Amino acid sequence: MPSICTQWNGGPKDRVLDIVDQEIFLGRQPILNAKRETVAYEILFRSKNSLTSADITDDLASSTHVIVSAMSHFGLDSVLGQCDGFINVTADLLMSDTMELLPPERIVLELLEHVQINQALVDRCNDLKSRGFRLALDDFSYRSEYDAILPLVDFIKVDLRATPCKDVFSVLSHIRRTTSAIFLAEKVETEEEFEACKDHGYTLFQGYFFSRPTVLRSKKLNSQKHSLMHIIGILFGDASVNDLEPIFKDNPELILGLLRLVNSVGIGGGRLHITTVRQALVILGQKQLLRWMLLLVYAEPGCRANSELIQRVINRASFMELLTQHAHFLHSGLSDQAHMVGMLSLAHTVIQDPLEELLDQIGLADHLKSALLRKEGALGQALLLTEAIEAADFIKVDSVRHGLGLSVQDITEIQLQAISRANEFSRQLP
C-alpha cells in the first residue's frame, strides 16, 4: 500500500539539527499480521542529496529532524492512520534526546543491524522502555552480544533473503529463553514463504506476498472473478440497467459482495442501506458502478473488505486520480482514466490470468493498455511513479516526477490526500 515523499525545512527549535531546505523522500511499507491485516508501517526516509549515495546510515544520522517533522507537521494520523510506526534508528539517533519528542505509544524504534550492543546502549534502551517505547532488532542474525538486549526487545525482524525460514528455527529455542519478542519476517515474496513463516513461528510479515499472483483456491472463485471482468467489460460498452440486472441475478455472491461494499461506505457521504441490485445500479450510475465492480475484484468471499490488497489498490487509484488533477501535472482531463488504470493495475494478482489477457477480455482502450502493460504515455508514467513510491525506490521517483512536471512537495500533498481517502475508507468498512 503505499509511500510518501515530502519536504521539510526544519523541526522543533533547539532540539534538532539545523538543516535548511533539505528535500526528504519519506516512504512507508505495510506490516501485516497472519490475517493479512495491516497493523503497522515501517517509515523509510532519504534525503534528495543522498540519492546517489550508498551510505544510508550517515543520511539517517544527519536527518533526525525529519522524524520529528513527520509527526509534528503532518500528524501521525496522516502518515500512519490507525497503525503503529516502525522507525529505523542508528546508535547516535537512539542516544539523542530527539527520541523523547516522539509519541512512545505509536512508535517502535528499530535498531539497525550494524548497531554495536554495549552497556551504554542497553542502559539507553532500558530508559526508553521505561518511557513506553517498544524496540525492534532489524535484519536479525543471532550473535552472542545480543544476549544483553534480547530481554528488552519487543520485535525481531528477519530478512528472508538473508536468513531463510529453516535457518531461523534452530535459533528460536535458544533465544526464547531470554525474550518474548514477536518475530517479523521481512521480504516475504510468495504465498509459500508466507505459509512457511507462519509454520516457523512468525506472527508479523512484511513484503509483497499479498500482491503477487497466486493459484486461486477453487475453480468457483476463478469463475466469480471472470464474471466480474465480464460485467466490467459490459460497463465499458455503456450498458443500461436493464442489460446489467439479469447478469447480476445469475451471480448471487457478486450481488452480496456489491451490496456489502456499497452499504459499508454509503453514497454521497451517507449510508443508504441499498437492498436490491436495481436500486444499487440506479443510484450508483455507470461511473460509480464501474469503480465498485473494479474494487470487488479484489474482495474474496468471506474475507474482511479492508484487506491490505484492497487498501493498496484504493490508495494507488486515488493517488493516480489526484496526481492527474494537480495543477502542475502536465496533462489534463485524465483523472477518470488514471483511477481506472490504478484499479486495473493489480487485477492479475487475484485472477490467474496474465494482465494482458484480462485487459483483452474487457475491451480496454489501446492507450490504457499501453499504460498498464508498458508504462507508456502520461498515464503509464503516472503508474510508474506510483509503483516507485510504493517500493520506496526514491531514485526512480525523483527521475519520473520531473517528466510529469511535479515537485517533491507536489507529490507529498497528493500522497497525503490519497492516504487520507484510504484511511477513511478503512474506518467505514465493517
Coordinates of all heavy atoms in Angstrom, one line a residue, residues 299-347:
A299 N -11.9 -8.3 -3.6 CA -12.5 -8.8 -2.4 C -12.9 -10.3 -2.5 O -13.6 -10.6 -3.4 CB -13.8 -8.0 -2.0
E300 N -12.3 -11.1 -1.6 CA -12.7 -12.5 -1.7 C -13.9 -12.8 -0.8 O -14.0 -12.2 0.3 CB -11.5 -13.4 -1.2 CG -10.3 -13.4 -2.1 CD -9.2 -14.3 -1.7 OE1 -9.6 -15.3 -1.0 OE2 -8.0 -14.1 -2.0
P301 N -14.7 -13.7 -1.1 CA -15.9 -14.0 -0.3 C -15.4 -14.5 1.1 O -14.5 -15.3 1.2 CB -16.6 -15.2 -1.1 CG -16.1 -15.0 -2.5 CD -14.8 -14.4 -2.4
G302 N -16.1 -14.0 2.1 CA -15.8 -14.4 3.5 C -14.6 -13.7 4.1 O -14.3 -13.9 5.3
C303 N -13.9 -12.8 3.3 CA -12.7 -12.1 3.9 C -13.1 -10.7 4.2 O -14.0 -10.1 3.7 CB -11.6 -12.1 2.9 SG -10.9 -13.7 2.6
R304 N -12.3 -10.1 5.2 CA -12.6 -8.7 5.5 C -12.3 -7.8 4.3 O -11.4 -8.0 3.5 CB -11.6 -8.3 6.6 CG -12.1 -8.8 8.0 CD -11.1 -8.3 9.1 NE -11.0 -6.9 9.1 CZ -11.7 -6.1 9.8 NH1 -12.7 -6.6 10.5 NH2 -11.6 -4.8 9.8
A305 N -13.2 -6.8 4.1 CA -13.1 -6.0 2.9 C -11.9 -5.0 3.0 O -11.5 -4.5 2.0 CB -14.4 -5.2 2.8
N306 N -11.4 -4.8 4.2 CA -10.3 -3.8 4.3 C -9.0 -4.6 4.3 O -8.1 -4.2 5.1 CB -10.5 -2.9 5.5 CG -10.5 -3.6 6.8 OD1 -10.8 -4.8 6.8 ND2 -10.2 -2.9 7.9
S307 N -8.8 -5.6 3.5 CA -7.5 -6.3 3.4 C -6.4 -5.3 2.9 O -6.8 -4.3 2.3 CB -7.6 -7.5 2.5 OG -7.8 -7.0 1.2
E308 N -5.2 -5.7 3.1 CA -4.1 -4.8 2.6 C -4.2 -4.6 1.1 O -3.9 -3.5 0.6 CB -2.8 -5.4 3.0 CG -1.5 -4.7 2.5 CD -1.5 -3.2 2.8 OE1 -2.0 -2.8 3.8 OE2 -1.0 -2.4 1.9
L309 N -4.5 -5.7 0.4 CA -4.6 -5.5 -1.1 C -5.6 -4.5 -1.5 O -5.4 -3.7 -2.4 CB -4.8 -6.9 -1.7 CG -4.8 -6.9 -3.3 CD1 -3.5 -6.3 -3.8 CD2 -5.1 -8.3 -3.8
I310 N -6.8 -4.5 -0.9 CA -7.8 -3.5 -1.2 C -7.4 -2.1 -0.8 O -7.5 -1.2 -1.5 CB -9.2 -3.9 -0.5 CG1 -9.8 -5.1 -1.2 CG2 -10.1 -2.7 -0.5 CD1 -11.2 -5.5 -0.7
Q311 N -6.7 -2.0 0.4 CA -6.2 -0.7 0.8 C -5.2 -0.2 -0.2 O -5.2 1.0 -0.5 CB -5.7 -0.8 2.2 CG -6.7 -1.0 3.3 CD -7.7 0.2 3.3 OE1 -7.3 1.3 3.6 NE2 -8.9 -0.1 3.1
R312 N -4.4 -1.1 -0.6 CA -3.3 -0.7 -1.6 C -3.9 -0.2 -2.9 O -3.5 0.8 -3.5 CB -2.4 -1.9 -1.8 CG -1.2 -1.5 -2.7 CD -0.3 -2.7 -2.9 NE 0.8 -2.4 -3.8 CZ 1.6 -3.4 -4.4 NH1 1.4 -4.6 -4.1 NH2 2.5 -3.0 -5.2
V313 N -4.9 -1.0 -3.4 CA -5.4 -0.6 -4.7 C -6.2 0.7 -4.6 O -6.2 1.5 -5.5 CB -6.3 -1.7 -5.3 CG1 -7.6 -1.8 -4.7 CG2 -6.4 -1.5 -6.8
I314 N -6.9 0.9 -3.5 CA -7.6 2.2 -3.3 C -6.7 3.3 -3.2 O -6.9 4.4 -3.8 CB -8.5 2.1 -2.0 CG1 -9.6 1.1 -2.1 CG2 -9.0 3.5 -1.6 CD1 -10.3 0.8 -0.8
N315 N -5.6 3.1 -2.5 CA -4.6 4.2 -2.3 C -3.9 4.5 -3.7 O -3.7 5.6 -4.1 CB -3.5 3.8 -1.3 CG -2.7 5.0 -0.9 OD1 -3.1 5.7 0.0 ND2 -1.5 5.2 -1.5
R316 N -3.6 3.4 -4.4 CA -3.0 3.6 -5.7 C -3.9 4.3 -6.7 O -3.5 5.3 -7.4 CB -2.6 2.2 -6.3 CG -2.0 2.3 -7.7 CD -1.6 0.9 -8.2 NE -0.4 0.3 -7.6 CZ 0.3 -0.6 -8.1 NH1 0.0 -1.1 -9.3 NH2 1.4 -1.1 -7.5
A317 N -5.2 3.9 -6.8 CA -6.1 4.6 -7.7 C -6.4 6.0 -7.3 O -6.4 6.9 -8.2 CB -7.4 3.8 -7.8
S318 N -6.5 6.2 -6.0 CA -6.7 7.6 -5.5 C -5.5 8.5 -5.8 O -5.7 9.7 -6.3 CB -7.0 7.6 -4.0 OG -8.2 6.9 -3.7
F319 N -4.3 8.0 -5.6 CA -3.1 8.7 -5.8 C -3.0 9.1 -7.3 O -2.8 10.3 -7.6 CB -1.9 7.9 -5.4 CG -0.6 8.7 -5.7 CD1 -0.1 9.6 -4.8 CD2 0.1 8.4 -6.9 CE1 1.1 10.3 -5.1 CE2 1.3 9.0 -7.1 CZ 1.8 10.0 -6.3
M320 N -3.3 8.2 -8.2 CA -3.2 8.5 -9.6 C -4.3 9.5 -10.1 O -4.0 10.3 -10.9 CB -3.3 7.2 -10.4 CG -2.1 6.3 -10.2 SD -2.1 4.8 -11.4 CE -1.9 5.6 -13.0
E321 N -5.5 9.3 -9.5 CA -6.5 10.3 -9.9 C -6.2 11.7 -9.4 O -6.3 12.7 -10.2 CB -7.8 9.8 -9.2 CG -9.0 10.7 -9.5 CD -10.3 10.2 -8.9 OE1 -10.2 9.4 -8.0 OE2 -11.4 10.7 -9.2
L322 N -5.7 11.8 -8.2 CA -5.4 13.1 -7.6 C -4.1 13.7 -8.3 O -4.0 14.9 -8.6 CB -5.1 13.0 -6.1 CG -6.3 12.7 -5.3 CD1 -5.9 12.3 -3.9 CD2 -7.2 13.9 -5.2
L323 N -3.2 12.8 -8.7 CA -2.0 13.2 -9.4 C -2.4 13.9 -10.7 O -1.8 15.0 -11.0 CB -1.1 12.0 -9.7 CG 0.2 12.2 -10.4 CD1 1.2 12.7 -9.3 CD2 0.7 10.9 -11.0
T324 N -3.3 13.3 -11.5 CA -3.7 13.9 -12.8 C -4.5 15.1 -12.7 O -4.8 15.9 -13.6 CB -4.3 12.9 -13.6 OG1 -5.4 12.3 -12.9 CG2 -3.4 11.8 -14.0
Q325 N -5.1 15.4 -11.5 CA -5.9 16.6 -11.2 C -5.0 17.8 -10.7 O -5.5 18.9 -10.7 CB -7.0 16.3 -10.2 CG -8.1 15.3 -10.7 CD -9.0 15.0 -9.6 OE1 -8.8 15.2 -8.4 NE2 -10.2 14.4 -10.0
H326 N -3.8 17.5 -10.4 CA -2.9 18.5 -9.8 C -2.6 19.6 -10.8 O -2.4 19.4 -12.0 CB -1.6 17.9 -9.3 CG -0.9 18.8 -8.3 ND1 -0.1 19.8 -8.7 CD2 -0.9 18.8 -6.9 CE1 0.4 20.4 -7.7 NE2 0.0 19.9 -6.6
A327 N -2.6 20.8 -10.3 CA -2.4 22.0 -11.2 C -1.1 21.9 -11.9 O -1.0 22.5 -13.0 CB -2.4 23.3 -10.4
H328 N 0.0 21.3 -11.4 CA 1.3 21.2 -12.0 C 1.4 20.1 -12.9 O 2.5 19.9 -13.6 CB 2.4 21.2 -10.9 CG 2.5 22.5 -10.2 ND1 3.1 22.6 -8.9 CD2 2.0 23.7 -10.4 CE1 3.0 23.8 -8.5 NE2 2.3 24.5 -9.3
F329 N 0.5 19.1 -13.0 CA 0.6 18.0 -13.8 C 0.5 18.5 -15.3 O -0.4 19.3 -15.6 CB -0.5 17.0 -13.5 CG -0.4 15.7 -14.2 CD1 0.5 14.7 -13.8 CD2 -1.2 15.3 -15.3 CE1 0.7 13.5 -14.4 CE2 -1.1 14.1 -15.9 CZ -0.2 13.2 -15.4
L330 N 1.3 17.9 -16.1 CA 1.5 18.5 -17.5 C 0.4 18.1 -18.5 O 0.3 18.6 -19.6 CB 2.8 18.1 -18.1 CG 4.1 18.7 -17.3 CD1 5.3 18.2 -18.0 CD2 4.0 20.2 -17.3
H331 N -0.5 17.1 -18.0 CA -1.6 16.6 -18.9 C -2.9 16.8 -18.2 O -3.0 16.4 -17.0 CB -1.3 15.2 -19.4 CG 0.1 15.0 -19.9 ND1 0.4 15.1 -21.2 CD2 1.2 14.6 -19.3 CE1 1.7 14.9 -21.4 NE2 2.2 14.6 -20.2
S332 N -3.9 17.2 -18.9 CA -5.2 17.4 -18.2 C -6.3 16.5 -18.7 O -6.1 15.8 -19.8 CB -5.7 18.9 -18.5 OG -5.8 19.1 -19.8
G333 N -7.4 16.4 -18.0 CA -8.5 15.6 -18.4 C -8.3 14.1 -18.3 O -9.0 13.3 -19.0
L334 N -7.4 13.6 -17.4 CA -7.1 12.2 -17.4 C -7.5 11.5 -16.1 O -7.2 10.4 -15.8 CB -5.6 12.0 -17.6 CG -5.1 12.4 -19.0 CD1 -3.5 12.2 -19.0 CD2 -5.7 11.6 -20.1
S335 N -8.2 12.3 -15.2 CA -8.4 11.7 -13.8 C -9.2 10.5 -13.8 O -8.8 9.5 -13.1 CB -9.0 12.8 -12.9 OG -10.3 13.2 -13.4
D336 N -10.3 10.4 -14.5 CA -11.1 9.1 -14.5 C -10.3 8.0 -15.1 O -10.3 6.9 -14.6 CB -12.4 9.3 -15.3 CG -13.4 10.2 -14.5 OD1 -13.3 10.3 -13.3 OD2 -14.3 10.7 -15.2
Q337 N -9.6 8.2 -16.1 CA -8.8 7.2 -16.7 C -7.6 6.8 -15.8 O -7.3 5.6 -15.7 CB -8.2 7.6 -18.1 CG -9.2 7.9 -19.1 CD -8.6 8.4 -20.4 OE1 -7.7 7.9 -20.9 NE2 -9.2 9.5 -21.0
A338 N -7.1 7.7 -15.1 CA -6.0 7.4 -14.2 C -6.5 6.5 -13.0 O -5.8 5.6 -12.6 CB -5.4 8.7 -13.6
H339 N -7.7 6.8 -12.5 CA -8.3 6.0 -11.5 C -8.5 4.6 -12.0 O -8.2 3.6 -11.3 CB -9.6 6.6 -11.0 CG -10.2 5.9 -9.9 ND1 -11.0 4.7 -10.0 CD2 -10.2 6.2 -8.5 CE1 -11.4 4.3 -8.8 NE2 -10.9 5.2 -7.9
M340 N -8.9 4.4 -13.3 CA -9.2 3.1 -13.9 C -7.9 2.4 -14.0 O -7.8 1.2 -13.7 CB -9.8 3.3 -15.3 CG -10.3 2.1 -15.9 SD -11.8 1.6 -15.2 CE -12.8 3.0 -15.5
V341 N -6.8 3.0 -14.4 CA -5.5 2.4 -14.6 C -5.0 1.9 -13.2 O -4.5 0.7 -13.1 CB -4.5 3.3 -15.2 CG1 -3.1 2.7 -15.1 CG2 -4.9 3.5 -16.7
G342 N -5.2 2.7 -12.2 CA -4.7 2.3 -10.9 C -5.5 1.1 -10.4 O -4.9 0.1 -9.8
M343 N -6.8 1.0 -10.6 CA -7.6 -0.1 -10.1 C -7.3 -1.4 -10.9 O -7.3 -2.5 -10.3 CB -9.1 0.2 -10.3 CG -9.6 1.3 -9.4 SD -9.6 0.9 -7.6 CE -10.7 -0.5 -7.6
L344 N -7.0 -1.3 -12.2 CA -6.8 -2.4 -13.0 C -5.4 -3.0 -12.9 O -5.1 -4.1 -13.2 CB -7.1 -2.1 -14.5 CG -8.5 -2.0 -14.9 CD1 -8.7 -1.5 -16.3 CD2 -9.2 -3.4 -14.8
S345 N -4.5 -2.1 -12.4 CA -3.0 -2.5 -12.4 C -2.7 -3.7 -11.5 O -1.6 -4.3 -11.6 CB -2.2 -1.3 -12.0 OG -2.5 -0.9 -10.6
L346 N -3.6 -4.0 -10.6 CA -3.3 -5.1 -9.7 C -4.3 -6.3 -9.9 O -4.3 -7.3 -9.1 CB -3.3 -4.7 -8.2 CG -2.2 -3.7 -7.8 CD1 -2.5 -3.1 -6.4 CD2 -0.9 -4.5 -7.7
A347 N -5.1 -6.2 -10.9 CA -6.1 -7.3 -11.1 C -5.5 -8.6 -11.3 O -6.1 -9.6 -10.9 CB -7.0 -6.9 -12.3

